[in-house]
Amino acid sequence: MIRVTLVPRTTSPRLALVTVSLATIALSIVTAAVLFSAYGAAPLGALYSLFIEPLSSPYNLGEVAIKASPLILIAQGLALGFQARVWNIGGEGQLIIGACAASCLPIFLPESDSAMLLPAMIVTGALAGMLWASVAAVLRTAFNASEIIVTLMLTEVAKQILYYLITGPLRDPAGFNFPQSVPFQDAALFSTFGGAGSRANYSVSITIAVSVISWIFVKRSFEAFRLQIGGVAPDAADYAGFSRIRAIWLSLLVSGACAGLAGVGEVAGPIGKLQPILTPGYGYTAIIVAFLGGLSPVGVVLSGVFLAIIYVGGDNSLASSKIPAAVPNVMQGLILVYYLSLSVFLRNELRVTFRRTARALA
Amino acid sequence: MNEAFLFVFAGAFSTSTPLLIAALGELICEKSGVLNLSVEGMMALGAAVAFVIVNMTGSHTLGFLGGSMAGAALSLVMAVLVLQFLANQVAAGLAVGLLGLGISALVGRSYEGQTGLPLARLPVPGLSKLPYLGFILFNHDVLVYLAYASSIGVAWFLYRSRPGLILRVVGENAPAAHALGLRPLFVRLLAIVAGGALAGLAGAYAATVLTPLWSQGMIAGRGWIAIALVIFGAWRPFRIVVGAYFFGAISLVDLAVQALGISIPPQLLTCLPYLTTIIVLAIVSRDAVRIRLNAPASLGQSYQPAI
């Protein structure tokens, strides 16, 4: 008789990391095929439009880039905090607040064509995202309030602030009462690249820069080591004198700034104004991106691109077949469920023994 | 007494019911040592399933049953993740929550924006004729009475019954429970499923009785408020009841505000439950010692049986 047991291990070999991620992707492709055929679409055709078509034309590649960019940007910040077991799940709200704050510049300075306008918006957005996340940091460090609930509640508040602004002080006076701001002038927008019609823009460079900085930070800094110890072994971190308060502040400020930057990338990128919907849930999807990327900077980039492909492919396949719009959402949830299930093999070794050998050993 | 305030005091029993049911479910789950953050998703799924069932059959009873079964089914995913695969409970809760929100959108997609049948009220004979109190306390639908009564049941179960004692032992110290010959994983499985069923029922009530309509995202953070309620109540059933009623009333403040003739931006009123959650959470959590003494000791920790 065969006996399968899980034996805990202390280190995760690189091979296991790669295998688990690849197995997650394989499982999600199978799931997509099953879901699509359940809705009467030809599975192969649907798989093609979901996973291959997004990579097939310069325009679609640009779409993948502008979707991957905010996902990766937010997830880099989240991953840092998650390693320290600081759970910022309000990236969505920090994105919205960053976008609102940055938008004030072009809205109140409509004549400005200064080259400094966009950089000023970038700084404003990052600071505003930080500020929004710092509310959770204060409440966590001074009042011991769960940052999970606080960041999530602050997201709901941020949405209402956005509605208030675009129906009140920041509404376009010439906009027929639509809840949106004036369109921004060119100086407040990232310039696009990738040929005519492409929406890909240079906000992607912020994501690349942040990813490189995260990689260096995680690989080379003592601070990142302290964060990781605080997450893996809180008692050891305490004993070593690594400040928990410092870890909470750092995690929330960095992830807030990243989400705020992502907000700037949206309003100064494809959207070009303030409107009721600024994000299709990037702040939540980034949580999936962070975990699927194994909380490592390189992994986050790869998983961000993967989920962006699903976003774009989802839009494409929805347009061309009768698959409901919620299917990509279900897939996102399933991807994280698969990854968390499979990651048992990161912490445990699968050991298969035959009864006879077991008896012989005994 | 102003009529609007009468409506707030009475209505708060209805608006608090989904919060209370979901929070009692989360309490049972957390008492076994499992932090289940997927309440929002389980409520959304229960809401969608119940709405579809009520629309097809016209029976609220079947809707409640279907909603709680859907919540329980989804919570099985959570159970497999945290009990079998020893996943981090925070991550697993977020994953299952997102999954539930996705599936709920899928289930309810052809009903988006539709309204459903209301459920008849069940005034208590005699008592409902009392001045003021009759209207506030004894003129509700059946689930309101059940929810408030079940809080007594949950308190009795946790603190006066043997299975409740076993549940608490597992939540305080799973290895010790194992050493006593109890089965921590099985107890946790039951607790997670019970929590899921109650969250599904809470969602079903929200979508078929409280506001009989379905729209994606209609749970609107109430699952998270339910989780916060467990902390507010310091893991005690009766304090959770008080907290739930308070938050039910908060969500009706716009009625009182209109009655008083104050003009406040509607967005601020919408924010009120969320802001209140943050403020109350901060006040309650401030005493870290009290939280540590009341929270189940092994809350959030995986239990891996020795081989």
Side-chain angles (χ1 to χ4, degrees):
Chain A
M1 199 184 130
I2 300 170
R3 204 177 127 88
V4 183
T5 45
L6 285 174
V7 183
R9 59 178 165 202
T10 45
T11 54
S12 309
R14 193 164 291 247
L15 180 68
L17 273 170
V18 175
T19 317
V20 164
S21 300
L22 288 180
T24 305
I25 292 173
L27 273 176
S28 28
I29 292 175
V30 172
T31 310
V34 172
L35 276 175
F36 285 158
S37 30
Y39 281 100
L44 279 183
L47 282 181
Y48 174 82
S49 49
L50 190 60
F51 293 108
I52 310 292
E53 207 183 313
L55 304 172
S56 61
S57 74
Y59 174 80
N60 280 338
L61 278 175
E63 290 297 297
V64 170
I66 57 171
K67 296 255 182 330
S69 176
L71 288 176
I72 295 170
L73 190 50
I74 302 171
Q76 294 289 12
L78 295 185
L80 189 78
F82 288 178
Q83 288 209 324
R85 297 279 190 273
V86 178
W87 307 105
N88 174 8
I89 55 172
E92 188 88 350
Q94 292 138 22
L95 183 156
I96 291 172
I97 293 297
C100 288
S103 301
C104 288
L105 292 176
I107 291 172
F108 289 117
L109 301 168
E111 305 298 324
S112 165
D113 55 359
S114 159
M116 292 311 292
L117 182 61
L118 193 53
M121 287 169 67
I122 293 170
V123 173
T124 314
L127 288 178
M130 266 185 175
L131 187 74
W132 204 241
S134 70
V135 176
V138 170
L139 293 177
R140 171 86 236 191
T141 52
F143 293 90
N144 190 34
S146 158
E147 77 279 13
I148 299 175
I149 293 171
V150 172
T151 50
L152 206 106
M153 294 286 131
L154 283 174
T155 298
E156 299 297 328
V157 176
K159 283 184 196 162
Q160 297 303 321
I161 291 179
L162 171 65
Y163 293 144
Y164 171 74
L165 289 176
I166 53 178
T167 53
L170 300 185
R171 178 162 58 191
D172 181 2
F176 305 103
N177 264 348
F178 278 114
Q180 58 186 37
S181 76
V182 288
F184 300 165
Q185 64 270 38
D186 286 346
L189 299 176
F190 288 102
S191 44
T192 56
F193 63 84
S198 167
R199 301 200 300 160
N201 63 67
Y202 283 102
S203 65
V204 174
S205 57
I206 299 179
T207 303
I208 295 171
V210 167
S211 298
V212 172
I213 295 169
S214 311
W215 185 75
I216 297 172
F217 181 74
V218 169
K219 287 278 171 204
R220 289 277 170 266
S221 77
F222 188 50
E223 190 67 57
F225 176 72
R226 282 199 283 234
L227 285 179
Q228 286 165 3
I229 299 299
V232 180
D235 294 341
D238 257 4
Y239 183 68
F242 301 164
S243 160
R244 181 71 189 151
I245 290 178
R246 188 186 165 101
I248 292 168
W249 271 101
L250 187 75
S251 304
L252 281 166
L253 287 184
V254 170
S255 50
C258 288
L261 284 171
V264 180
E266 292 306 298
V267 287
I271 299 177
K273 63 184 175 218
L274 272 187
Q275 62 181 33
I277 305 290
L278 293 175
T279 134
Y282 289 139
Y284 299 114
T285 310
I287 298 171
I288 302 175
V289 172
F291 279 117
L292 187 60
L295 304 183
S296 87
V298 178
V300 162
V301 172
L302 297 176
S303 64
V305 171
F306 178 63
L307 278 151
I309 291 174
I310 295 184
Y311 259 121
V312 176
D315 288 349
N316 288 345
S317 51
L318 299 182
S320 61
S321 59
K322 46 189 180 279
I323 293 162
V327 166
N329 294 352
V330 173
M331 274 199 57
Q332 288 184 2
L334 280 175
I335 289 172
L336 189 49
V337 168
Y338 292 148
Y339 180 76
L340 292 174
S341 314
L342 290 169
S343 48
V344 72
F345 299 115
L346 296 180
R347 285 168 280 109
N348 295 274
E349 204 173 337
L350 196 64
R351 206 168 280 174
V352 183
T353 44
F354 295 94
R355 178 53 70 81
R356 203 171 296 161
T357 33
R359 205 173 284 158
L361 284 173
Chain B
M1 196 193 281
N2 189 315
E3 202 145 275
F5 284 97
L6 210 58
F7 273 106
V8 171
F9 288 132
F13 278 101
S14 305
T15 48
S16 64
T17 293
L19 297 175
L20 179 59
I21 297 175
L24 289 175
E26 179 68 12
L27 173 70
I28 293 173
C29 192
E30 289 194 14
K31 273 288 185 188
S32 80
V34 178
L35 177 66
N36 188 349
L37 294 183
S38 65
V39 182
E40 180 87 2
M42 295 189 298
M43 279 180 79
L45 184 60
V49 169
F51 187 85
V52 172
I53 291 178
V54 171
N55 250 29
M56 287 194 316
T57 65
S59 156
H60 279 84
T61 315
L62 285 180
F64 293 148
L65 263 177
S68 38
M69 275 163 62
L74 185 62
S75 73
L76 279 177
V77 179
M78 174 77 188
V80 169
L81 279 179
V82 300
L83 301 180
Q84 189 66 41
F85 293 124
L86 306 170
N88 176 298
Q89 293 183 3
V90 174
L94 293 175
V96 175
L98 289 170
L99 182 62
L101 288 173
I103 302 179
S104 76
L106 205 56
V107 171
R109 73 181 200 287
S110 44
Y111 296 85
E112 183 71 33
Q114 286 191 28
T115 52
L117 309 160
L119 180 64
R121 282 168 190 276
L122 206 70
V124 180
L127 288 175
S128 62
K129 297 287 185 293
L130 289 171
Y132 299 128
L133 274 185
F135 182 72
I136 292 176
L137 289 177
F138 302 109
N139 184 25
H140 294 289
D141 51 75
V142 60
L143 221 59
V144 173
Y145 304 127
L146 280 182
Y148 277 81
S150 72
S151 64
I152 301 170
V154 169
W156 176 85
F157 165 75
L158 284 177
Y159 294 103
R160 291 280 179 274
S161 79
R162 186 175 161 75
L165 180 65
I166 292 175
L167 182 84
R168 286 188 292 135
V169 170
V170 169
E172 294 297 330
N173 192 333
H178 182 73
L180 285 171
L182 305 172
R183 288 184 293 167
L185 292 183
F186 183 65
V187 171
R188 286 188 172 177
L189 171 69
L190 293 183
I192 292 173
V193 172
L198 286 173
L201 180 64
Y205 180 82
T208 62
V209 182
L210 188 57
T211 45
L213 65 86
W214 169 254
S215 76
Q216 203 184 327
M218 67 163 299
I219 296 302
R222 278 180 279 184
W224 292 97
I225 295 180
I227 294 172
L229 274 173
V230 177
I231 306 177
F232 297 163
W235 292 269
R236 308 277 177 84
F238 294 126
R239 295 190 201 171
I240 291 174
V241 171
V242 176
Y245 183 78
F246 172 69
F247 273 89
I250 288 282
S251 65
L252 291 171
V253 157
D254 49 342
L255 287 181
V257 166
Q258 276 171 11
L260 292 172
I262 312 169
S263 107
I264 294 178
Q267 290 87 1
L268 184 60
L269 287 175
T270 314
C271 280
L272 210 55
Y274 311 121
L275 288 173
T276 319
T277 306
I278 295 173
I279 294 166
V280 178
L281 185 66
I283 295 170
V284 170
S285 309
R286 191 164 188 190
D287 190 352
V289 176
R290 199 183 80 122
I291 292 283
R292 210 175 325 127
L293 288 178
N294 285 299
S298 66
L299 183 60
Q301 291 166 11
S302 293
Y303 170 67
Q304 188 165 20
I307 304 152

